[in-house]
Amino acid sequence: MDNRTRRDLGLAYIADNAVQNEMKATQKLLYAFNHTDAEQTDQLTSLAYRIIGKAGKGLYIIPPFHCDYGTHISVGSHLFINYNCTILDVASVEIGNHVLLAPNVAIYTAGHPIHPAARRSQYEYGIPVKIGDNVWIGGSAVVLPGVTIGSGSVIGAGSVVTHDIPDNVVAAGNPCRVLRPITEDDKRFYYRDKKFDPEAWAAVCPE
């Protein structure tokens, strides 16, 4: 069995020439994207849709952005990716609608064996990551292989997400853990104890 097939079946695989050639094609697109002038918005949008394997409307990525293949990434509508995000998409990365990724967020499906003898074999692996709808992942957070983050949840800045996170919670830390549920009362606040003014509130909660 060739290594690209092994990788796509979720088996341990070696990044041989065929695997690396697939990655190099993506690196060319990423180089063009990351070196395009910010004022060339149409070109940036076009390149973003060429990099990401499947994407809904409203995809917006601020360079620089990094990934392995891009083709293993599937996203819903209105995904916003801020500066310097990295997605190692050896396995599939599924992201829902209206998701926000803050600067320096890293999503890793890739990994290496723990034992040094196993690592020297050059075998590595990829395990899928899933992120639900309406998720906000804070700056410099890291999402590790195999994790699912439930819809509506917020991941605090600097967190290392090692296990699944349920829907509609605030979670943070290393390792990331649930701090509290998100309640209906949270809707009135834009930051901690700061409430929306009447003008903003009318847009947040129109009658």
Side-chain angles (χ1 to χ4, degrees):
M1 187 184 305
D2 67 81
N3 280 293
R4 291 174 63 188
T5 301
R6 293 184 62 87
R7 177 200 64 199
D8 294 344
L9 288 174
L11 301 174
Y13 76 99
I14 292 174
D16 59 11
N17 288 336
V19 171
Q20 292 184 39
N21 286 338
E22 189 176 350
M23 295 172 67
K24 287 175 182 176
T26 302
Q27 300 312 307
K28 291 179 181 179
L29 286 173
L30 288 168
Y31 183 87
F33 179 78
N34 291 330
H35 291 82
T36 296
D37 190 286
E39 293 185 355
Q40 298 183 26
T41 55
D42 289 345
Q43 177 72 359
L44 285 167
T45 299
S46 176
L47 284 166
Y49 275 98
R50 290 175 64 192
I51 291 165
I52 302 299
K54 181 180 179 182
K57 64 182 180 180
L59 174 65
Y60 195 91
I61 305 174
I62 299 179
F65 172 72
H66 309 280
C67 64
D68 281 334
Y69 304 95
T71 53
H72 299 159
I73 303 171
S74 174
V75 306
S77 62
H78 302 291
L79 170 65
F80 175 77
I81 300 179
N82 217 319
Y83 304 101
N84 202 41
C85 283
T86 298
I87 301 179
L88 300 187
D89 59 318
V90 168
S92 66
V93 175
E94 297 180 17
I95 300 176
N97 302 308
H98 297 280
V99 171
L100 305 174
L101 303 185
N104 301 307
V105 165
I107 299 172
Y108 301 149
T109 69
H112 302 272
I114 292 295
H115 196 282
R119 285 201 304 278
R120 288 197 301 270
S121 71
Q122 300 184 41
Y123 275 101
E124 51 191 279
Y125 62 85
I127 302 176
V129 167
K130 295 183 179 181
I131 297 170
D133 297 334
N134 299 300
V135 171
W136 174 26
I137 301 181
S140 298
V142 178
V143 180
L144 295 185
V147 163
T148 294
I149 297 175
S151 293
S153 288
V154 174
I155 306 298
S159 297
V160 179
V161 189
T162 60
H163 295 91
D164 292 354
I165 301 296
D167 294 350
N168 299 311
V169 297
V170 176
N174 182 6
C176 189
R177 61 185 178 85
V178 174
L179 301 182
R180 66 174 182 86
I182 295 173
T183 68
E184 190 65 18
D185 192 52
D186 285 315
K187 188 186 294 184
R188 292 190 170 273
F189 300 88
Y190 64 89
Y191 181 70
R192 295 186 178 176
D193 62 346
K194 297 184 182 296
K195 289 186 177 181
F196 286 105
D197 62 90
E199 180 182 353
W201 178 246
V204 172
C205 196
E207 294 183 359

